[in-house]
Amino acid sequence: MAATYVVDVPLRWSDMDAYGHVNNVQYLRLLEDARVIGFREWFPDRPALVDEGIVVTRHVIEYRAPLTYRPEPVEVAMWVTRVHGAGFDLGYVVRDPASVGEGTYAVAETGLALYDFATARPRRLEAGAREALAVHVGDPVTFRRAGR
């Protein structure tokens, strides 16, 4: 998929839980780290969307395999799956970088809405942002669960 943006995200020792693998809650941090890095590259000529006001509206994560802590990062592939009036959805695959292996640990989708905190209201996605997002549009996330 040509629209996919890929970033390496380091793991932290504290990501592990009592079972010795990366805790499911920590996956949200991995996805957030990928978004913050990606948005700064996707929108280089203006403040990043995270600085202008954006909120998460939903997360869907399907775990494919346990991820244990290691010093090598995970690779997060990220792309836009849908753009709408006040926001967009992102798809992700959390996997090994080629230098580490071929494991896939999770697939996910995040809904995001642009938000004006001063007025406590959503705000429309501007034309420039739509153009920047269009470069990264790809297929919907393929979840194993029926109907997704």
Side-chain angles (χ1 to χ4, degrees), residues 13-147:
W13 180 259
S14 61
D15 291 343
M16 276 193 305
D17 63 16
Y19 299 108
H21 59 71
V22 174
N23 186 277
N24 61 19
V25 173
Q26 296 304 323
Y27 278 83
L28 295 176
R29 184 192 57 83
L30 295 173
L31 302 179
E32 178 183 55
D33 288 350
R35 279 195 310 276
V36 169
I37 293 166
F39 288 174
R40 291 209 167 100
E41 291 186 26
W42 291 9
F43 305 99
D45 299 330
R46 57 186 286 205
L49 288 181
V50 292
D51 298 332
E52 295 173 351
I54 190 166
V55 294
V56 171
T57 60
R58 68 183 179 80
H59 286 297
V60 178
I61 302 175
E62 181 177 277
Y63 303 98
R64 298 279 175 95
L67 173 60
T68 56
Y69 172 80
R70 62 183 188 216
E72 297 83 18
V74 291
E75 179 179 278
V76 178
M78 180 175 78
W79 67 97
V80 176
T81 61
R82 184 173 76 105
V83 178
H84 53 87
F88 53 98
D89 296 344
L90 295 177
Y92 314 86
V93 176
V94 179
R95 62 188 177 210
D96 286 328
S99 62
V100 173
E102 297 179 4
T104 296
Y105 302 101
V107 295
E109 190 171 63
T110 299
L112 298 160
L114 303 182
Y115 197 77
D116 183 334
F117 288 101
T119 62
R121 297 179 53 94
R123 58 187 174 82
R124 302 285 301 168
L125 194 57
E126 298 170 359
R130 283 182 184 278
E131 291 171 13
L133 291 169
V135 173
H136 302 283
V137 171
D139 295 330
V141 177
T142 304
F143 293 101
R144 290 179 178 161
R145 183 174 154 209

